[in-house]
């Protein structure tokens, strides 16, 4: 270590003030004449090195006279060159401030000494900022913050960290530290750098207003309840996925749904509408449903409480209302094959843009035509009536025409809230082989013949007592009856219990209200579907009801399952939104607004 030569008192005298007769006996700026005996001073430590920022060391120095004898009680003055690497206080305590080099100096009387200082950060460990990590949403993610640190716990910049997970099927991790929930369970996530590493257990636990998921074992309806939570009768719970298990986080709700059976693999899928897009769930094993992935809403469109979807030729077509320029998304469902354990974020296959926001969608799978209804934006709104689309080239939908019965609807434009279109094979010989649509048009039932898309015609219309809002309906398998619901009659006092209208449509030119069926509660009724002689009703706050319609005008309840047990079974829009009963396996899938997806089966 290089030392500055100590300056002698004589040298100071000659250089600074001269040696005349009247020269003072001690330097005028030295208040302590005793310092005149200091010939040298030496810093005890040499090559001072720090391995961490904010470390300290107490420096020591020894002053000596000209004979080399150590002097006691000599005042020492400490300083540094000022490179912001270290600081030193008046007692000689040296503290590291940052990495680099600097010089520390000591002065004793006329003598001084210096020592070099080097500050570096030596890695001693890896620090995770989050002591515990948990996730409650499948495909939900968080970024784990980790840094390599020195012995004082200071992060060392630009030090590479690699990440790993003991079970990527539960927690996937990328090399930025982003953790993504894949399924319920616990996995250990490790951050490593060289030989250093640290680990944390990460738990994925799905939660919702009803608690966690119900999977792995069925919960039979026994004593009026399933899973000690859901009121029921005659319907067993096979499994339940809360919204978090469908890729939905805070504020996300589910709405409509449909189903798809992959004829290549035999797998059955529930296609679940959400405010943020669509979730795909493999329900082939109904006790252990698998969230396969999700399709986000159209780019640039806001979340929507109203999303509808239908399937044709292994493609799902998705619309949304109050969703700006959402259009109609097209997704090739064959992409779901081979996925089941690592949820995916999928991309749309195509998009149809001749509509923007639309309330509902129907597809006649026998003819390959779709009917978007309740349009509120886009180049061809069709007055909110039937916007007709050719899907025969599934990824290239083509607009083919409009139909609206302007004598229906509250605004006089023929607004259609929902519709079912079929290739007619019912009892009315006049319309055999024709493509007939049954529209629920707010204030009326509207029947139309759309066989000629260039010249569709109104066949008939009908209303019913105490109408609130003609909402949705479905035709019986024998085409003799149509069952419809009203979304506002219970709220407005037009019906004191859940009401289902039963229409005799044997003569399409003259539909007749044959009967009304009333449920046991005042819950608002929503979507209903028919398979065989069973009618499946989603009745919002009460849940799902199944009716036997073997006697078409006198339905008999077979069972119910309350998906919203915290609700009061009163009029309102929480609870079961929709259901899909058409799987060959016989399972019933049901969506519930705040709760999620239920997989059910009739006990008998």
């Amino acid at each position: 270590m290089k030392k500055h030569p100590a300056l002698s008192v004589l040298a100071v005298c000659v250089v600074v003030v001269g040696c005349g007769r009247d020269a003072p006996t001690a330097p005028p700026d030295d208040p302590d004449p005793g310092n005149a005996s200091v010939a040298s001073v030496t810093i005890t430590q040499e090559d001072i090195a720090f391995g961490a920022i904010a470390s300290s060391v107490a420096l020591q120095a020894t002053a000596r006279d000209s004979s080399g004898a150590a002097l006691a009680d000599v005042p020492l003055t400490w300083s540094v060159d000022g490179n912001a690497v270290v600081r030193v206080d008046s007692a000689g305590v040296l503290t590291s401030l940052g990495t680099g080099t600097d010089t520390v100096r000591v002065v004793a009387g006329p003598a001084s000494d210096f020592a070099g200082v080097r500050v570096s950060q030596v890695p001693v460990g890896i620090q995770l900022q989050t002591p515990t990590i948990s996730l409650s949403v499948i495909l939900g993610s968080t970024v784990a913050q980790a840094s390599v640190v020195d012995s004082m716990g200071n992060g060392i910049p630009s030090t590479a960290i690699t990440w790993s997970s003991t079970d990527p099927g539960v927690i996937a991790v990328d090399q930025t530290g982003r953790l993504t929930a894949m399924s319920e369970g616990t996995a250990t996530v490790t951050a490593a750098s060289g030989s250093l590493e640290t680990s944390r257990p990460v738990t994925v636990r799905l939660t919702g207003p009803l608690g966690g998921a119900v999977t792995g074992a069925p919960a039979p309806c026994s004593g009026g309840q399933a899973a000690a939570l859901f009121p029921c009768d005659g319907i067993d719970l096979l499994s339940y996925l809360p919204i978090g298990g469908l890729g939905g986080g805070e504020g996300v709700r589910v709405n409509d749904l449909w189903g798809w059976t992959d004829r290549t693999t035999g797998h059955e899928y529930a296609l679940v509408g959400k405010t943020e897009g669509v979730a795909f769930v493999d329900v082939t094993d109904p006790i252990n449903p698998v969230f396969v992935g999700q399709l986000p809403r159209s780019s640039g469109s806001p979340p929507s409480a109203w999303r509808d979807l239908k399937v044709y030729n292994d493609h799902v077509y998705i619309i949304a209302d109050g969703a700006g320029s959402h259009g109609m998304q097209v997704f090739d469902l064959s992409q779901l094959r081979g996925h089941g354990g690592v949820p995916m974020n999928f991309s749309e296959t195509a998009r149809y843009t001749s509509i923007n926001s639309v309330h509902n969608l129907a597809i006649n799978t026998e003819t390959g035509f779709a009917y978007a209804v309740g349009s509120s934006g886009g180049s061809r709104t069709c007055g909110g009536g039937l916007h007709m689309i050719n899907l025969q080239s599934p990824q290239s939908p083509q607009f083919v025409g409009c139909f609206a019965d302007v004598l229906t609807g509250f605004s006089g434009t023929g607004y259609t809230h929902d519709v079912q279109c079929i290739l007619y094979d019912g009892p009315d010989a006049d319309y055999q082989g024709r493509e007939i649509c049954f529209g629920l048009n707010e204030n009326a039932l509207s029947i139309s013949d759309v066989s000629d898309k260039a010249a569709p015609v109104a066949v008939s219309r009908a209303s019913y007592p105490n109408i609130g809002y003609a909402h949705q309906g479905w035709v019986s398998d024998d085409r003799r009856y149509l069952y419809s619901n009203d979304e506002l009659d219970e709220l407005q006092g037009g019906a004191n219990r859940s009401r289902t209208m039963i229409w005799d449509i044997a003569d399409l030119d003259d539909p007749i209200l044959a009967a009304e069926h009333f449920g046991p509660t005042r819950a608002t009724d929503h979507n209903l579907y028919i398979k065989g002689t069973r009618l499946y009703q989603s009745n919002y706050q009460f849940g799902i009801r199944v009716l036997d319609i073997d006697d078409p005008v006198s339905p008999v309840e077979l069972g119910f399952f309350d998906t919203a047990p915290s609700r009061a079974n009163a009029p309102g829009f929480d609870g079961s939104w929709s259901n899909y009963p058409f799987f060959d396996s016989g399972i019933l899938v049901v969506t519930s607004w705040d709760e999620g997806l239920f997989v059910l089966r009739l006990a008998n």
Side-chain angles (χ1 to χ4, degrees), residues 342-365:
V342 180
M344 300 283 292
N345 278 309
F346 293 99
S347 298
E348 62 190 30
T349 304
R351 189 188 306 182
Y352 175 75
T353 58
S354 292
I355 52 176
N356 282 355
S357 289
V358 178
H359 195 74
N360 267 306
L361 181 69
I363 296 178
N364 185 350
T365 58

Side-chain angles (χ1 to χ4, degrees), residues 396-417:
S396 300
Q398 299 295 319
F399 171 75
V400 292
C402 289
F403 170 77
D405 183 349
V406 297
L407 297 180
T408 65
F410 290 137
S411 60
T413 64
Y415 181 96
T416 298
H417 180 268

Side-chain angles (χ1 to χ4, degrees), residues 26 82 131 333 409 429 437 463 559 583 589:
L333 290 165
C437 291
S463 191
F583 288 123
V589 290

Side-chain angles (χ1 to χ4, degrees), residues 508-549:
L508 294 182
D509 296 304
D510 185 22
I512 297 170
L513 183 63
E516 294 178 325
H517 172 77
F518 292 90
T521 76
R522 296 181 61 242
T524 298
D525 40 330
H526 204 229
N527 291 352
L528 63 82
Y529 299 100
I530 296 169
K531 181 182 180 183
T533 59
R534 290 176 176 177
L535 185 149
Y536 300 81
Q537 295 182 318
S538 282
N539 286 351
Y540 275 132
Q541 295 192 132
F542 189 81
I544 179 81
R545 287 190 176 277
V546 180
L547 304 179
D548 183 341
I549 55 171

Side-chain angles (χ1 to χ4, degrees), residues 295-296 298 315-318 326-332 335 347-353 393-397:
L295 176 67
S298 289
H315 290 73
V316 61
Y317 299 84
I318 306 156
H326 184 279
M328 182 175 73
Q329 291 178 294
V330 183
F331 179 74
D332 183 352
Q335 296 178 76
S347 298
E348 62 190 30
T349 304
R351 189 188 306 182
Y352 175 75
T353 58
S393 294
Q395 296 183 17
S396 300

Side-chain angles (χ1 to χ4, degrees), residues 15 40 66-67 93 130 149 190 201 240 285 352 437 447 456 458 503 539:
V15 174
S40 65
S66 57
S67 67
V93 177
T130 306
V149 296
T190 298
Y240 159 65
D285 177 356
Y352 175 75
C437 291
I447 302 177
W503 299 90
N539 286 351

